[in-house]
Amino acid sequence: PPPSFSVRYLPTRPMPPRARRPPLSIRLPRRAFSARSSAAAATTATSTPATPLRLLIVEAYDRAGRERLTSAGCTAASDTFAALLSRICPEDHELRLSYCHPADSVHELAEVGELSRFDGVVWTGSSLTIHEDKPEVTRQIELARRCFQAAVPQYGSCWGLQISAAAAGIPCEPNPRGREHGIARGIALTRSGRRHPMFDGCLQTFDGCAAHTDHVAASWAAAPVCRPGVEAEVLASNDFTPVQGLAVRIDGGEFWSVQYHPELDLGEIARLMRLPASRSLLVEQGEYSSEEELLRYSRDLEALAADPSNLELRRRLAVGDDVIDPARRAREIANWLQHLVLPQRRR
């Protein structure tokens, strides 16, 4: 049997009240995951027990990447998703979250039978590079393929979209235009995107928080052909990144994903922007004339995140409700739960 291990939770910012409820320990056949619950363990005799909703969060950063985030004051990616899922989980369901870190250990690479016990799998972003052939990356691609085989619904932001593409044999590459970081402007739904349930209730053109350098290859986006057994639809794009939304189906499994970050607010994007690697790259590619200009802009983003009612800042930064309003910003993830995870669970 694989050796046991523990998952260390990094310091995070306070979560919403629902996420601070007493934890419920969940026993699993293997020690591949750690688990938490967003609901109290006890219910009264007269109350109706909530239906468990079991989601696996794949923390896609490696250990070094997670440490860089927390040292810069950023929230761990898995904790950002945990807080969001706690807010949008339907009231009649008890959210049970488990976590794995496949970039860290081969022992967190779950088998298909184990994955089938989950109602859905959520992929975080990552500072890794999808087209590099190294174990931290290939283990994650293999995990996505196993999730497809288990027919477990998957959702991913940023790195998650690239993982879905790589698992399907769709090429990814560095964006020749450089890093898209801050606010991705003019994300437009394609014809497929306008009728896809992930974008139910979304505007046809909108902005989103973004922080990425790699993307699905533009050559594939121009002529999206897949290998036999794979179906893929480009759902959204903008002038900077040709694939901003993607839906992939393999072996009866579905993976909905976006290249931007619905789970992040402007404050988190500002802190990511100040990471040394991001800061130097954005200045080098001419997005900002100097680091001082970038730092001023990031402080403005943080100020607007702290006070969304500041109309002067909103006008100056050209930020609308599609980025400011938490419910509108996270609609894609809520739609994934409502239109893919819960219906499949009922079946």
Side-chain angles (χ1 to χ4, degrees), residues 77 93 114 320:
H93 284 72
E114 187 177 12

Side-chain angles (χ1 to χ4, degrees), residues 245-287:
L246 185 67
V248 176
R249 289 175 291 279
I250 309 174
D251 297 330
E254 290 195 53
F255 197 139
W256 298 358
S257 60
V258 295
Q259 185 59 66
Y260 51 98
H261 284 278
E263 77 280 8
L264 297 183
D265 65 15
L266 291 175
E268 288 292 336
I269 285 294
R271 286 182 283 276
L272 288 172
M273 184 179 292
R274 291 198 293 267
L275 288 170
S278 297
R279 193 168 64 224
S280 59
L281 185 57
L282 289 169
V283 173
E284 286 174 10
Q285 72 187 39
E287 293 295 318

Side-chain angles (χ1 to χ4, degrees), residues 51-123:
T51 303
L53 180 61
R54 297 178 175 88
L55 300 179
L56 173 63
I57 297 180
V58 181
E59 171 58 81
Y61 280 85
D62 62 5
R63 185 173 287 106
R66 297 196 299 273
E67 290 173 355
R68 284 193 296 270
L69 282 185
T70 55
S71 65
C74 301
T75 305
S78 55
D79 287 329
T80 299
F81 268 106
L84 171 60
L85 292 167
S86 295
R87 290 197 302 270
I88 66 177
C89 179
E91 291 292 336
D92 57 346
H93 284 72
E94 176 191 353
L95 182 62
R96 297 186 180 184
L97 296 176
S98 298
Y99 303 78
C100 69
H101 301 70
D104 292 352
S105 168
V106 69
H107 300 306
E108 299 206 29
L109 189 55
E111 300 298 330
V112 172
E114 187 177 12
L115 291 166
S116 64
R117 293 157 45 276
F118 292 102
D119 300 310
V121 174
V122 175
W123 291 80

Side-chain angles (χ1 to χ4, degrees), residues 5 8 38 43 48 56 71 74 80 87 92 167 177 218 238 248 255 279 283 290 299 308 312 326 328 337-338 342:
F5 59 90
R8 179 169 61 91
S38 67
T43 56
T48 302
L56 173 63
S71 65
C74 301
T80 299
R87 290 197 302 270
D92 57 346
R177 297 188 59 180
N238 71 348
V248 176
F255 197 139
R279 193 168 64 224
V283 173
S290 65
R299 287 192 290 268
E312 190 277 329
R328 287 182 60 173
L337 284 176
Q338 292 292 339
L342 295 181

Side-chain angles (χ1 to χ4, degrees), residues 214-335:
D214 297 328
H215 69 172
V216 170
S219 58
W220 182 88
V225 177
C226 299
R227 69 189 186 208
V230 175
E231 298 177 55
E233 292 182 287
V234 178
L235 304 179
S237 65
N238 71 348
D239 290 341
F240 203 103
T241 301
V243 180
Q244 288 280 8
L246 185 67
V248 176
R249 289 175 291 279
I250 309 174
D251 297 330
E254 290 195 53
F255 197 139
W256 298 358
S257 60
V258 295
Q259 185 59 66
Y260 51 98
H261 284 278
E263 77 280 8
L264 297 183
D265 65 15
L266 291 175
E268 288 292 336
I269 285 294
R271 286 182 283 276
L272 288 172
M273 184 179 292
R274 291 198 293 267
L275 288 170
S278 297
R279 193 168 64 224
S280 59
L281 185 57
L282 289 169
V283 173
E284 286 174 10
Q285 72 187 39
E287 293 295 318
Y288 302 91
S289 61
S290 65
E291 289 198 4
E292 290 73 19
E293 182 187 358
L294 180 149
L295 293 173
R296 284 196 299 272
Y297 181 72
S298 70
R299 287 192 290 268
D300 284 344
L301 292 179
E302 278 188 307
L304 185 55
D307 181 14
S309 64
N310 188 326
L311 297 181
E312 190 277 329
L313 262 182
R314 290 183 64 159
R315 283 192 294 268
R316 178 152 56 84
L317 300 176
V319 174
D321 287 340
D322 46 359
V323 173
I324 288 291
D325 183 354
R328 287 182 60 173
R329 190 175 63 243
R331 186 161 289 166
E332 294 90 333
I333 305 171
N335 284 338

Side-chain angles (χ1 to χ4, degrees), residues 5-67:
F5 59 90
S6 61
V7 177
R8 179 169 61 91
Y9 289 100
L10 300 169
T12 64
R13 298 165 65 195
M15 287 187 181
R18 289 188 66 180
R20 292 200 297 266
R21 296 180 184 178
L24 175 64
S25 176
I26 304 169
R27 297 190 62 183
L28 298 170
R30 282 179 65 203
R31 293 188 178 182
F33 311 109
S34 63
R36 295 201 299 249
S37 171
S38 67
T43 56
T44 64
T46 57
S47 65
T48 302
T51 303
L53 180 61
R54 297 178 175 88
L55 300 179
L56 173 63
I57 297 180
V58 181
E59 171 58 81
Y61 280 85
D62 62 5
R63 185 173 287 106
R66 297 196 299 273
E67 290 173 355

